[in-house]
Amino acid sequence: MPFAQSGPYEIYFELRGSGSPLLLSAGQGTGPQSREPLIAGLAQHHSVLIYDQRGTGRSSPAEQGHSIEALAQDVLALMDTVQWPVADVVGLSTGTGMATAFASEQPTRVSHLVLAAPWTHGSREFRWLQELRKSAARCLSPTLYSQFNQLLLYSPDYRRDNYERLEQLVSDAQNRPHDAIGIAGRLDAILAFDARPHYARIQCPTLILGALDDQIMPIWFAQDAAGMVAGAKLVELTHGGHMFPETRTEEFLAAVLPFLKH
């Protein structure tokens, strides 16, 4: 299996498709399987590098709670391993933090930057939500915690139309209990990250996307980010919830693919 060495950590990755290089930095979300249509759509036009975040999936074990800036070093290690001097970088949710920090610290390595459902900093109302998520992870059973997450991640219409799929995620949670300590560590790292100083240093063309009904990363984060990144383009989806790259894949690709061509 292919791994990139990032300090003491081995980061598992895969390459899909062919074409110009594109690195996809995703959040934890619902896992790689649910992102397959998105990855396939990108891979029709690009050589797409996907990877398991440090300490998750097939990457080597690691304690959770590393800073977003530290996780961005994994992006550098991945690009060096596959010998990509420059690539488009697409960040989803938590992955927008790593993509932002990487584009800020390594401006010559990023040709285009896409940030889908970003957050700008650990604001008061954002901290309130994440503290609730940490408490839920500590107190709820695996099935109830999975149900709680589905309520936050997905819009009501998507839950209605995809009940069987989401119910399977809840059922799967019985066999894969969540790690409350690890979840708390990851959420604390998100709250500690301040993207605002990084935005001023981003030099490449940037596309920022948000959904009006995103309950985790509210649309004002995307709006504020677009105002701080020089020349950034903002796309607002009317609905799709936090997981809009998965729930509104066609709309997402319709916005992203043309942007990456220019």
Side-chain angles (χ1 to χ4, degrees):
M1 293 191 296
F3 290 93
Q5 193 71 38
S6 182
Y9 306 106
E10 291 185 327
I11 310 299
Y12 176 85
F13 70 91
E14 297 179 17
L15 287 171
R16 305 277 191 89
S18 61
S20 59
L22 184 154
L23 184 142
L24 180 64
S25 181
Q28 294 296 306
T30 50
Q33 185 175 2
S34 62
R35 287 191 289 271
E36 280 301 324
L38 171 62
I39 295 168
L42 294 171
Q44 290 181 13
H45 307 272
H46 298 271
S47 177
V48 181
L49 190 157
I50 59 176
Y51 69 99
D52 293 344
Q53 285 187 28
R54 182 185 299 188
T56 71
R58 291 153 292 185
S59 293
S60 62
E63 66 279 12
Q64 296 299 296
H66 291 267
S67 71
I68 297 298
E69 288 86 353
L71 296 178
Q73 292 300 308
D74 297 344
V75 175
L76 178 62
L78 287 159
M79 285 185 57
D80 286 347
T81 298
V82 297
Q83 298 182 336
W84 284 356
V86 63
D88 297 328
V89 176
V90 177
L92 312 179
S93 187
T94 307
T96 65
M98 285 82 93
T100 296
F102 181 72
S104 167
E105 299 300 329
Q106 302 287 336
T108 63
R109 305 293 297 270
V110 183
S111 51
H112 294 80
L113 178 66
V114 176
L115 304 176
W119 79 103
T120 60
H121 66 294
S123 60
R124 292 177 299 173
E125 75 285 350
F126 188 54
R127 184 173 299 277
W128 183 53
L129 171 64
Q130 304 298 30
E131 292 296 338
L132 177 61
R133 297 178 75 190
K134 287 162 59 178
S135 180
R138 289 194 304 269
C139 300
L140 297 180
S141 68
T143 54
L144 287 176
Y145 181 69
S146 179
Q147 290 172 336
F148 171 76
N149 260 338
Q150 310 319 328
L151 290 173
L152 291 177
L153 292 170
Y154 296 104
S155 59
D157 60 327
Y158 186 85
R159 296 198 307 270
R160 178 197 62 200
D161 297 339
N162 296 272
Y163 175 79
E164 289 78 11
R165 173 179 173 265
L166 298 183
E167 182 66 13
Q168 185 60 53
L169 293 176
V170 173
S171 178
D172 292 344
Q174 296 180 4
N175 300 319
R176 293 197 301 269
H178 59 277
D179 173 14
I181 295 176
I183 289 169
R186 291 194 294 271
L187 294 179
D188 284 340
I190 289 172
L191 290 171
F193 179 66
D194 191 341
R196 294 171 296 183
H198 292 284
Y199 290 147
R201 296 195 291 268
I202 292 175
Q203 301 176 15
C204 61
T206 301
L207 174 66
I208 300 174
L209 303 97
L212 295 177
D213 60 352
D214 188 340
Q215 298 184 81
I216 294 183
M217 309 297 195
I219 188 64
W220 56 77
F221 279 145
Q223 294 167 340
D224 290 348
M228 287 184 273
V229 177
K233 178 182 178 182
L234 174 66
V235 172
E236 298 182 6
L237 281 71
T238 57
H239 63 290
H242 182 63
M243 306 303 290
F244 66 85
E246 297 174 16
T247 64
R248 312 294 296 181
T249 298
E250 290 186 6
E251 289 181 45
F252 180 84
L253 292 173
V256 170
L257 291 174
F259 168 76
L260 296 178
K261 288 182 179 179
H262 296 91

